[in-house]
Amino acid sequence: EARHGKQFVSADLFGLAGATMPSGDYEFVLDLWGVIGSHVITNQVRIPLLIDTTPTRIVGISPSVRTFRPGSGESVRVTGDAVDGRARSIRACAVNRRHVAVRCWFDLRVRDGRVRFIWKGNDKDGRPARQGYYRFEFTTWDPYGNSATTTGGRVFLSRKRG
């Protein structure tokens, strides 16, 4: 419901408020009406709309090193390039060979077209992660709840000294 002055104005949105729409070209036709004195005034408004629900993809995932030893104070900086900046939420995880996430970072943001974080070699509980190969998985969500996951980059976490 909306009012212009003392006049009531109504627009029927066909029950689409809050609906998740698939990607595509749409044209919304709004039949507007109002009453001024004893006159009913009508107007039809056509609104072209392109809806693109393809979530942001993270590409070019690159760790700063191929091998690192967290016990000696080393860490790995991971960078991913965002295809666009429309992601509402971004999660990154370090995953082991069995594709189990050992550590995740939540609510990352795109800055200057990139997503960055630092892994110090610990698991989600802060304990040292096991020695082995790890890849990095980025999951993005758009405002409509659609998601996209990309995995890339590989590092070897070494627990050996020297």
Side-chain angles (χ1 to χ4, degrees), residues 61-80 92-95 102-103 105 115-122 129 132-136 138 152-159:
I61 301 169
S62 58
S64 58
V65 295
R66 292 185 185 268
T67 301
F68 77 112
R69 291 188 322 273
S72 65
E74 293 178 3
S75 60
V76 60
R77 288 172 176 71
V78 180
T79 303
C93 294
V95 295
V102 296
R103 173 80 164 88
W105 297 261
V115 179
R116 298 175 178 97
F117 66 94
I118 297 173
W119 184 34
K120 296 182 179 179
N122 293 334
Y133 286 97
Y134 292 86
R135 294 180 70 83
F136 300 98
F138 284 86
R154 187 172 94 159
V155 297
F156 182 74
L157 186 153
S158 175
R159 291 288 174 195

Side-chain angles (χ1 to χ4, degrees), residues 58 87 89-92 105-110 115 138-140:
I58 306 298
S89 179
I90 302 172
R91 178 188 71 201
W105 297 261
F106 297 92
D107 296 323
L108 297 172
R109 298 284 177 234
V110 175
V115 179
F138 284 86
T139 303
T140 60

Side-chain angles (χ1 to χ4, degrees), residues 1-155:
E1 174 180 312
R3 293 194 178 271
H4 182 268
K6 294 183 178 181
Q7 303 302 316
F8 172 73
V9 179
S10 175
D12 180 13
L13 294 177
F14 310 105
L16 296 176
T20 300
M21 303 288 289
S23 293
D25 290 302
Y26 293 87
E27 182 179 66
F28 288 97
V29 179
L30 302 177
D31 290 316
L32 305 170
W33 59 270
V35 177
I36 298 177
S38 62
H39 296 83
V40 175
I41 299 176
T42 63
N43 192 12
Q44 191 175 75
V45 178
R46 294 180 178 276
I47 303 171
L49 181 64
L50 170 65
I51 297 178
D52 183 2
T53 59
T54 306
T56 298
R57 284 222 173 268
I58 306 298
V59 297
I61 301 169
S62 58
S64 58
V65 295
R66 292 185 185 268
T67 301
F68 77 112
R69 291 188 322 273
S72 65
E74 293 178 3
S75 60
V76 60
R77 288 172 176 71
V78 180
T79 303
D81 297 323
V83 172
D84 63 50
R86 292 179 294 131
R88 169 169 269 170
S89 179
I90 302 172
R91 178 188 71 201
C93 294
V95 295
N96 64 20
R97 285 183 146 188
R98 292 174 289 167
H99 204 70
V100 174
V102 296
R103 173 80 164 88
C104 292
W105 297 261
F106 297 92
D107 296 323
L108 297 172
R109 298 284 177 234
V110 175
R111 288 189 175 78
D112 299 324
R114 294 192 165 169
V115 179
R116 298 175 178 97
F117 66 94
I118 297 173
W119 184 34
K120 296 182 179 179
N122 293 334
D123 67 12
K124 63 184 177 187
D125 297 319
R127 296 184 306 247
R130 296 176 151 251
Q131 178 171 294
Y133 286 97
Y134 292 86
R135 294 180 70 83
F136 300 98
E137 179 179 275
F138 284 86
T139 303
T140 60
W141 288 268
D142 68 11
Y144 305 101
N146 300 302
S147 66
T149 300
T150 307
T151 304
R154 187 172 94 159
V155 297

